[in-house]
């Protein structure tokens, strides 16, 4: 009998509870194993997804493509015919995690030589030769724009060859593929509205791993959202590296749709459908988008607006194309148009190239100015191939980076608690998503501001909207009673 292998114990335990509103890492710390489909197909696909929501959404597209090729998904690696890791390159730690996992899987492959192993996503282009030829860790490597080619590539591997396709596309959006909703709770779902990124932030690998920005056909997005409503989904999240730059033009040029217009069209599909979106870029988020949110109760009052730093010189080095006054003005516009209760979250990088102690203090003072509800925070990790790696010296010592990060974390925990305290004594409309992690007698859901709300189950069920009077809170959770 083979040793147990279905373990992700090698992943670092987050320093803060998983449902906390403060994260000491980027979203790349997340990992999901796609649940099983049991339709009698002959071959089994085991897929692990690392990183951001875009990767989780892509895994659903991959599962749909391979479902048509005779693959059911499985949660058990030991019974799989094909293992795919959908990877993230945003931080060095994310790559180390995948390498460690591949070593585990290859130990299993030695006992099961017929097993096919592949790497998808953002690590594919950057490390294709190492994975395939030097380290011989995988059988196939497939980039994020080449998933339609998976059936042909698998045939090549079945025939005894290695297979690779990491070509990036200027057109591919997978608009005609209906994702298999493997990573959904049946209540909420992701809809990818665009792919790639044209923002060349100096620290970021995304433009190199996901290619140029292109927007998906607006009508295909609306069809996907309508289908989700028809099958009982209550919430969709519109996904893109920079949703505010979404702009689709019909082939004949007679129709143009920007993000504010798309957001409104999705919201108008049903008043019972909640609409979220991620991620916004401070240089592109417009008052038109904010007024659209204000007009529609079912567009959630929550905006992820990554700052990265509170200092204008550092922002210029990061090539963020805005300065601190611009960012502050966008925050003031959110407060003016959507009110003080609109939640704002951010990303923050501690210890970017040449950051001084005074510039670090500027980041903390920006946090004091905004009072973020939640933040993804991490210290700078140089990524090969980026502008910062080529042009800037990673000269802030690691102990200094870690100390600055801890100061940011500590401050954010204070602000998360303060923001949650604003919710106490108010009634919140909560979409129930599941049972509480601690008790089957309590339900868990989120309000419009994306805050987690826990309350006694009583007669309420998953998928319902429930009005909850919040009576207390922690830095991560609201506690209340249904009214």
């Amino acid at each position: 009998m083979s040793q147990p292998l279905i373990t992700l114990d090698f992943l670092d335990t987050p320093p803060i509870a998983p449902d906390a509103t403060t994260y000491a890492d980027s979203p790349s710390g997340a990992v999901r194993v796609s649940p099983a489909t049991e339709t009698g197909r002959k071959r089994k696909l085991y897929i692990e997804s690392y990183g951001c929501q875009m990767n989780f959404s892509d895994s659903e597209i991959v599962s749909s493509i391979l479902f048509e090729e005779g693959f059911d998904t499985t949660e058990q690696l030991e019974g799989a015919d094909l293992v795919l890791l959908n990877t993230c390159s945003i931080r060095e730690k994310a790559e180390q995690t995948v390498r460690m996992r591949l070593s585990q899987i290859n130990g299993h492959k030695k006992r099961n030589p017929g097993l096919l192993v592949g790497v998808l996503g953002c690590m594919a282009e950057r490390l294709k030769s190492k994975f395939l030829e030097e380290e011989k860790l995988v059988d196939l490597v497939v980039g994020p724009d080449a998933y339609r080619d998976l059936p042909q590539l698998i045939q090549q591997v079945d025939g005894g060859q290695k297979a690779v396709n990491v070509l990036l596309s200027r057109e591919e959006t997978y608009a005609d593929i209906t994702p298999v909703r493997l990573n959904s709770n049946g209540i909420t779902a992701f809809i990818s509205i665009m792919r790639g990124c044209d923002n060349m932030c100096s620290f970021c690998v995304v433009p190199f791993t996901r290619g140029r920005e292109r927007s998906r056909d607006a009508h295909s997005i609306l069809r996907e959202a309508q289908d989700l409503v028809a099958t009982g989904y209550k919430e969709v999240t519109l996904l893109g590296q920079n949703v505010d730059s979404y702009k689709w033009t019909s082939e004949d040029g007679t129709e143009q749709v920007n993000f504010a217009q798309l957001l409104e069209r999705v919201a108008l599909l049903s008043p019972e459908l909640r609409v979220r979106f991620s991620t916004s870029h401070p240089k592109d988020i417009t008052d038109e988008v904010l007024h659209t949110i204000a007009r529609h109760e079912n567009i959630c009052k929550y905006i992820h607006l990554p700052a990265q730093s509170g200092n204008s010189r550092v922002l210029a080095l990061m090539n963020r194309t805005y300065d601190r006054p611009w960012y502050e003005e966008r925050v003031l516009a959110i407060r003016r148009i959507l009110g003080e209760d609109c939640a704002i979250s951010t990303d923050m990088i501690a210890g970017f190239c040449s950051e001084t102690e005074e510039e670090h203090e500027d980041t903390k003072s920006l946090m004091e100015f905004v009072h973020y509800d939640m933040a993804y925070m991490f210290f700078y990790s140089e990524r090969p191939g980026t502008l910062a790696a080529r042009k800037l010296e990673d000269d802030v010592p690691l102990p200094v980076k870690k100390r600055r990060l801890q100061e940011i974390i500590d401050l954010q925990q204070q602000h998360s608690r303060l923001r949650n305290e604003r919710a106490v004594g108010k009634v919140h409309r909560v979409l129930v998503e599941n049972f509480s992690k601690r008790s089957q007698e309590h339900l868990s859901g989120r309000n419009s501001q994306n805050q987690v709300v826990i309350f006694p189950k009583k007669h309420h069920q998953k998928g319902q909207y429930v009005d909850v009077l919040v009576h207390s809170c922690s830095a991560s959770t609201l506690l209340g009673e249904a009214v």
Side-chain angles (χ1 to χ4, degrees), residues 231-245:
T231 51
Y233 283 80
K234 296 294 184 68
E235 179 181 292
V236 296
T237 300
L238 307 181
L239 291 180
Q241 300 298 146
N242 177 14
V243 291
D244 297 289
S245 63

Side-chain angles (χ1 to χ4, degrees), residues 1-7 77-78 103-105 107-108 111:
M1 180 180 292
S2 64
Q3 65 186 41
L5 191 66
I6 323 300
T7 171
L77 188 146
E78 280 92 342
S103 296
Q104 280 190 343
I105 291 168
H108 179 62
R111 299 185 294 272

Side-chain angles (χ1 to χ4, degrees), residues 86-322:
N86 195 352
T87 62
C88 174
S89 270
I90 197 167
R91 296 190 63 225
E92 182 179 4
K93 177 182 170 184
E95 290 194 1
Q96 292 172 346
T97 297
V98 169
R99 284 180 176 279
M100 198 176 302
R101 186 56 166 160
L102 284 172
S103 296
Q104 280 190 343
I105 291 168
N106 271 273
H108 179 62
K109 184 177 172 67
K110 290 176 182 177
R111 299 185 294 272
N112 180 18
L115 178 68
L116 307 184
V117 179
V119 164
L120 310 177
C122 292
M123 286 176 67
E125 194 281 332
R126 206 175 75 74
L127 296 173
K128 59 182 183 295
S129 58
K130 285 194 173 185
F131 283 159
L132 279 171
E133 298 158 16
E134 297 175 28
E135 301 174 19
K136 301 187 188 308
L137 290 173
V138 299
D139 302 299
L140 70 158
V141 177
V142 186
D145 289 347
Y147 296 146
R148 291 182 194 271
D149 204 24
L150 268 166
Q152 176 189 331
L153 296 171
I154 291 168
Q155 284 182 8
Q156 286 181 228
V157 176
D158 285 340
Q161 304 177 57
K162 300 291 185 179
V164 58
N165 186 344
V166 294
L167 294 177
L168 295 175
S169 168
R170 296 293 296 268
E171 290 83 33
E172 181 63 83
T173 63
Y174 301 109
D176 60 324
I177 294 176
T178 301
V180 176
R181 302 290 174 182
L182 294 173
N183 291 311
S184 174
N185 54 14
I187 307 301
T188 65
F190 300 134
I191 299 178
S192 178
I193 67 169
M194 59 198 303
R195 299 184 72 83
C197 184
D198 286 348
N199 299 313
M200 299 298 291
C201 299
S202 64
F203 55 81
C204 186
V205 298
V206 168
F208 307 104
T209 59
R210 285 190 168 267
R212 297 296 299 272
E213 184 178 282
R214 61 271 191 200
S215 296
R216 180 178 163 189
D217 183 319
H219 297 289
S220 73
I221 295 168
L222 292 170
R223 283 195 300 270
E224 184 174 338
Q226 185 64 69
D227 288 345
L228 288 167
V229 171
T231 51
Y233 283 80
K234 296 294 184 68
E235 179 181 292
V236 296
T237 300
L238 307 181
L239 291 180
Q241 300 298 146
N242 177 14
V243 291
D244 297 289
S245 63
Y246 174 90
K247 188 174 183 180
W248 173 76
T249 303
S250 61
E251 286 189 12
D252 62 7
T254 60
E255 185 180 9
Q256 290 189 342
V257 181
N258 65 19
F259 180 61
Q261 293 162 343
L262 177 69
L263 192 58
E264 184 157 64
R265 290 187 187 189
V266 176
L268 288 171
L269 290 174
S270 169
E272 291 296 299
L273 178 69
R274 267 190 178 171
V275 184
R276 299 186 186 274
F277 58 90
S278 185
T279 296
S280 289
H281 195 293
K283 74 178 176 64
D284 291 322
I285 189 167
T286 64
D287 285 3
E288 183 186 7
V289 168
L290 301 180
H291 285 296
T292 300
I293 297 170
R295 281 197 303 273
H296 298 279
E297 187 177 351
N298 60 331
I299 302 178
C300 292
K301 307 306 183 282
Y302 167 74
I303 297 173
H304 186 59
L305 196 69
Q308 308 298 359
S309 172
N311 176 267
S312 292
R313 186 191 75 88
V314 174
L315 288 170
L317 287 177
M318 291 177 168
N319 197 34
R320 291 291 287 172
T321 68
Y322 57 83

Side-chain angles (χ1 to χ4, degrees), residues 30-34 47-51 55-56 59 84-87 183:
V31 59
R32 292 187 185 180
V33 176
S34 293
I47 182 166
E48 284 180 12
S49 308
Y50 294 79
N55 269 11
F56 302 149
S59 290
L84 297 177
L85 302 190
N86 195 352
T87 62
N183 291 311

Side-chain angles (χ1 to χ4, degrees), residues 42-75:
K42 292 182 180 180
R43 303 179 79 179
K44 299 292 184 183
L45 163 67
Y46 175 90
I47 182 166
E48 284 180 12
S49 308
Y50 294 79
C52 64
Q53 292 174 336
M54 291 293 293
N55 269 11
F56 302 149
S57 177
D58 277 2
S59 290
E60 294 180 338
I61 291 170
V62 168
S63 298
S64 179
I65 291 169
L66 293 182
F67 185 81
E68 297 299 323
E69 293 296 317
F71 283 87
D72 269 332
T73 53
T74 177
E75 294 171 307

Side-chain angles (χ1 to χ4, degrees), residues 301-374:
K301 307 306 183 282
Y302 167 74
I303 297 173
H304 186 59
L305 196 69
Q308 308 298 359
S309 172
N311 176 267
S312 292
R313 186 191 75 88
V314 174
L315 288 170
L317 287 177
M318 291 177 168
N319 197 34
R320 291 291 287 172
T321 68
Y322 57 83
D323 58 13
R324 175 165 175 159
W326 175 278
Y327 188 92
E328 289 182 346
E329 190 281 327
R330 289 293 80 201
V331 170
L332 291 174
I334 292 169
R335 297 295 186 219
R336 181 178 70 252
I337 297 168
L338 295 174
E340 290 295 326
D341 287 335
C342 180
I344 304 175
S345 60
T346 192
D347 298 346
M348 286 295 187
I349 297 174
F352 189 69
C353 306
S354 77
E355 181 189 65
T356 67
E357 203 62 36
E358 291 76 16
E359 290 164 342
H360 165 63
E361 290 298 322
D362 285 344
T363 292
K364 291 164 63 178
S365 72
L366 179 65
M367 295 172 69
E368 293 283 10
F369 174 82
V370 180
H371 274 209
Y372 295 107
D373 294 71
M374 187 272 280

